[in-house]
């Protein structure tokens, strides 16, 4: 056998297609980032042969569906872009197959808003997760079960964005309220990522190394809390008569933050600002 790149790829693909959950266990037990990236490369090679992408994703989702008993299964599907041979039509066809496959496994697929408004792959059993150009009311009025995730309010990594105390169902009818499952907060960690395929200017990427896990826990805790308290209140029991500057709101906000710190949860003090690199203006240190 001549070891040309194409032959090597075929051998790697054959090997990778037989891997199962042990691959992920191996991947996350590795201490070397280079080792992890090598295994990821092998797994990605499973996609190198034409026609394998759908089969590989189905195989992965089948395994995940058996590992996690929850009915809801998020497929992602955000930031859909037309590129090269990828059109909205064939991306939509791919997503429809994945959605139907998950339904056949007894799962309820969730997809970001693009799965409905861009690729139009959503079917009647799909939950739509609105996050950027659309709001919950847009999906609800099309008859879809919906989760509200407005990025400018509920993406906790955007520390400078607007308040998380927000009515996610303004003027909804009783029927529309039945379609709104609730809200979701997200804490995206791009700014901590130290991998080669992450943003090159990730300001907190030094925390990516395992030896800085304790600092990372404090940093990410300060990003999530107590802002997440306000978001949870919006989802659970929004009271329009209470503004986020009112004494009653601040009392509840501070009291819940105090309860969390007493339980050993790292939160940002309510009277100052925290981001990935600082707490109340004091930088986190790798030392």
């Amino acid at each position: 056998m001549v070891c040309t790149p194409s032959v090597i790829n075929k051998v790697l693909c054959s090997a990778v297609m037989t891997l199962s959950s042990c691959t992920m266990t191996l991947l996350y037990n590795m201490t070397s980032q280079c080792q992890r990236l090598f295994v990821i490369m092998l797994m990605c090679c499973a996609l190198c042969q034409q026609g394998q992408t759908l089969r590989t994703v189905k195989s992965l989702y089948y395994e995940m569906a058996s590992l996690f008993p929850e009915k809801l299964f998020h497929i992602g599907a955000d930031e859909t872009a037309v590129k090269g041979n990828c059109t909205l039509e064939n991306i939509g066809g791919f997503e429809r197959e994945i959605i139907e496959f998950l339904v056949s496994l007894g799962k309820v697929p969730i997809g970001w808003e693009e799965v409905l408004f861009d690729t139009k792959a959503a079917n009647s059993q799909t939950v739509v997760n609105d996050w950027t150009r659309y709001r919950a009311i847009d999906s609800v009025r099309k008859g879809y079960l919906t989760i509200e995730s407005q990025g400018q309010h509920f993406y906790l990594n955007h520390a400078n964005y607007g308040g998380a105390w927000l009515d996610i169902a303004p003027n909804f009818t009783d029927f529309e309220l039945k379609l709104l499952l609730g809200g979701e907060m997200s804490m995206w960690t791009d700014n901590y990522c130290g991998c080669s395929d992450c943003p090159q200017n990730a300001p907190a990427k030094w925390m990516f190394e395992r030896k800085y896990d304790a600092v990372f826990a404090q940093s990410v805790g300060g990003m999530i809390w107590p802002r997440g308290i306000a978001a949870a209140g919006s989802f659970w029991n929004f009271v329009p008569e209470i503004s986020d500057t009112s004494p009653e709101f601040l009392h509840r906000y501070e009291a819940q933050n105090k309860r969390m710190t007493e339980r050993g949860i790292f939160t940002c003090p309510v009277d100052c600002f925290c981001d990935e690199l600082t707490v109340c203006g004091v930088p986190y240190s790798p030392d």
Side-chain angles (χ1 to χ4, degrees):
M1 178 185 293
V2 179
C3 290
T4 63
S6 61
V7 170
I8 292 172
N9 279 344
K10 288 178 181 177
V11 172
L12 288 174
C13 284
S14 298
V16 171
M17 290 303 289
T18 65
L19 297 178
S20 62
S21 60
C22 61
T23 306
M24 297 307 293
T25 303
L26 172 67
L27 179 63
Y28 287 101
N29 282 336
M30 287 179 172
T31 57
S32 164
Q33 184 176 333
C34 291
Q35 286 178 312
R36 291 181 202 159
L37 291 175
F38 178 69
V39 174
I40 290 171
M41 179 196 74
L42 292 181
M43 295 174 71
C44 289
C45 279
L47 307 181
C48 68
Q49 292 176 324
Q50 188 173 2
Q52 293 296 333
T53 304
L54 183 62
R55 188 173 117 189
T56 302
V57 174
K58 281 186 175 181
S59 213
L60 176 64
Y61 281 9
Y62 178 83
E63 184 171 326
M64 291 177 67
S66 67
L67 290 172
F68 300 98
E70 290 81 4
K71 293 283 289 184
L72 295 171
F73 193 111
H74 208 306
I75 68 167
D78 57 323
E79 301 184 9
T80 309
V82 174
K83 186 174 182 180
N85 293 327
C86 296
T87 65
L88 287 180
E89 289 73 23
N90 58 34
I91 294 171
F94 176 87
E95 291 174 352
R96 273 188 288 276
E97 283 219 39
I98 293 299
I99 287 170
E100 291 168 4
F101 176 69
L102 287 171
V103 170
S104 75
L105 298 178
K107 298 295 184 180
V108 177
I110 308 174
W112 293 106
E113 63 187 44
E114 290 88 339
V115 80
L116 172 61
F117 295 102
D118 291 357
T119 64
K120 306 188 187 317
N123 63 19
S124 60
Q125 294 166 289
T126 307
V127 177
V128 179
N129 205 171
D130 292 303
W131 69 281
T132 179
R133 293 172 295 148
Y134 298 91
R135 295 192 174 185
I137 189 63
D138 299 307
S139 301
V140 160
R141 286 181 176 167
K142 286 182 173 290
Y144 287 86
L145 290 170
T146 300
I147 298 171
E148 180 64 89
S149 300
Q150 289 182 47
Q152 65 181 29
H153 294 283
F154 304 127
Y155 276 16
L156 302 179
N157 51 304
H158 295 318
N160 290 318
Y161 274 25
W165 181 244
L166 179 75
D167 188 356
I168 64 171
N171 303 313
F172 274 37
T173 66
D174 289 343
F175 175 74
E176 290 167 345
L177 282 172
K178 290 179 181 178
L179 293 177
L180 180 62
L181 298 182
E184 176 187 272
M185 297 171 269
S186 299
M187 173 58 206
W188 303 109
T189 56
D190 304 53
N191 284 337
Y192 298 99
C193 188
C195 291
S196 58
D197 61 343
C198 295
Q200 294 300 308
N201 60 346
K205 64 182 178 183
W206 59 268
M207 295 185 197
F208 186 78
E209 295 185 47
R210 288 187 173 179
K211 64 183 178 180
Y212 299 124
D213 279 358
V215 181
F216 169 75
Q218 293 182 28
S219 173
V220 77
M223 293 289 290
I224 295 173
W225 308 113
R227 192 161 172 253
I229 295 171
S234 296
F235 303 155
W236 180 251
N237 187 30
F238 181 78
V239 181
E241 293 77 23
I242 299 177
S243 74
D244 60 1
T245 57
S246 68
E248 184 173 355
F249 176 89
L250 294 175
H251 171 73
R252 296 182 183 186
Y253 192 61
E254 292 172 5
Q256 180 59 27
N257 199 46
K258 184 173 182 290
R259 282 192 287 269
M260 296 182 72
T261 56
E262 288 173 347
R263 295 173 185 174
I265 299 170
F266 189 86
T267 73
C268 184
V270 294
D271 57 351
C272 74
F273 175 80
C274 298
D275 59 20
E276 289 95 337
L277 293 174
T278 64
V279 52
C280 301
V282 179
Y284 291 109
S285 172
D287 300 326

